[in-house]
Amino acid sequence: MNRFFSHLKQPFTSVWISLGFVIGCIATVFYYQTLEFTVLTISIVIVSVYFKPFLNVLLGFICAICWIAVYFYTFHNFEIPKADEKYAHSAELIIESIISSKQPQYIKAKIIKFNDDSYAHFRAPSAMLSVNSSQTLLIGDTFSASINLKPFRSTKNFHVFDNERYAFTQRIFFKGKVLNKELVITNNEKQSTIINYRKFIKGVYSNTTLQWLYYALLTGDKSLMDFSDKQLMQSLGLSHLLAISGLHIGLIFGFGYLAVRSLFKHIKYVSDQTKNLSVIYSAVGFFAAFIYVYLSDFLVSATRALIMLGCYLVLYYLAKQPLRWRSILFALVILLIINPFNVLNAGLYFSFTAVAIIFLVVRKIPISNTSFFYKIASLGLVQLALFLGLLPLSLYFFHGVSLAGLVLNLIAIPLLSLIVMPSLIIITLLSSVFDMGISITFFDACLSYVFQLLTKIPVFIRWLNIGNTDSIFVVFYYITFLIFYLVPYKWLTCIPFSVLLFNYLVAEKPK
């Protein structure tokens, strides 16, 4: 077997181990203690016996299983006494967010002390609590109280949003109520930088029509959005613009990079040839992106994009090849080391699939042609590839696809990249020194007009509901694509397509 594969170019050992780690994380989280997990494990062991490079895959696979076990028992293994054993528990809590300020108030709180046990802030579990008190609660406040807790449970239905899974990923393990009517609250007099920043953004754009849009783009918090606005953005295929991700991180990085480079040119800085100034530009750009992610309170999507950017820069300046695919793989591994249960987050699959598609398409586009119409055509090609590449994920997770989004993103992404985000950054920075009321009013009026045009798009071309999509369709869709792209014999794509068709014909149909 080793001789059979000896003519192929072998990847680096780190790539094999990383691949095994990713496979191990997905298999363990989704299939642990199932027949599928057993079959996959035995298959990897058998292949490793006959093909030595797969020993590194097996090593990564085993490391993933061990790491998930350690992570689970460190951050997710919390138990409380049964209700018939003890009803009230003494606890010290920190308010993370206020879900509802109406009586009784509903909050998300981090439990830093429970009975006689104390937890570090990074490890402390969270709980959703009802507080029947007239006292005003603020984010960041600490209070001690008697609480009644029970494990977080919710009604589970097929093909709808899974509240329990979401709570698990957010480390919300309990729900209950605070038994005290009067609370001894320790106000956080020195508000955190993040809270002060969000208050500042709210104040700057307080008199605008699209305050929710500016607040979401600058902080990553969508709490100011109405349900109708969320539905409209999703139906138009533009909701990804509101989630801080690779596009936003790239814009902030580019802003910092170009700002420092322009500054160096303006002051006519001269350095010896041994210094690579682009490293300094990139370092400042990455620091600006890090500050942006920090102010967003390290949202999962923002952190994911920052890690990918960091891997890309490191590999670029170390001149390692192949650059793009290794940066994607290493970023994914780092993200799963930080939290292996990120595989439960749908955004993970959208982000990495989108980046992989962009890399695939860009490498096929010649860079010699610099005409304006050629760039527009290239942008359209990338958008079409993203639409087709992300189509199965959209059908599986959202049970439909936005038809208008295929065209609207060709306009919205350049508009956001070249006008909206740069304007918001400049206005926000200058607002800390000058009164930018007139500029904000003019800017808001222009965007409000554009937003009103979006509301006039007919409903039947906004969103196409398909219904429930089986996961086997998603898997075989991407298998077919990989065979078509990687294998010289294109007719082999008929194999997964035939299997999918056979499964559809013999599967029992719902009555």
Side-chain angles (χ1 to χ4, degrees), residues 298-338:
F298 291 99
L299 290 173
V300 174
S301 58
T303 306
R304 181 168 57 235
L306 184 68
I307 292 174
M308 188 175 295
L309 174 63
C311 291
Y312 188 92
L313 292 175
V314 169
L315 290 177
Y316 178 82
Y317 286 111
L318 290 178
K320 298 294 184 181
Q321 298 296 333
L323 170 62
R324 294 167 177 155
W325 303 117
R326 291 179 67 191
S327 65
I328 294 176
L329 181 60
F330 291 163
L332 180 57
V333 170
I334 294 174
L335 194 67
L336 294 180
I337 290 175
I338 294 175

Side-chain angles (χ1 to χ4, degrees), residues 351-403:
S351 296
F352 281 92
T353 304
V355 173
I357 291 171
I358 292 173
F359 283 168
L360 282 174
V361 175
V362 169
R363 67 183 299 182
K364 296 293 184 181
I365 298 177
I367 60 175
S368 56
N369 194 332
T370 58
S371 65
F372 175 77
F373 292 103
Y374 181 79
K375 291 181 178 179
I376 295 298
S378 300
L379 182 62
L381 180 62
V382 172
Q383 180 58 39
L384 178 61
L386 287 172
F387 178 82
L388 296 176
L390 299 178
L391 177 62
L393 294 176
S394 179
L395 296 178
Y396 179 74
F397 287 107
F398 304 120
H399 314 301
V401 63
S402 173
L403 300 178

Side-chain angles (χ1 to χ4, degrees), residues 455-473:
T455 61
K456 297 179 181 179
I457 296 178
V459 176
F460 69 91
I461 65 173
R462 291 184 188 176
W463 186 264
L464 177 63
N465 282 312
I466 302 297
N468 301 324
T469 302
D470 198 340
S471 59
I472 192 173
F473 167 77

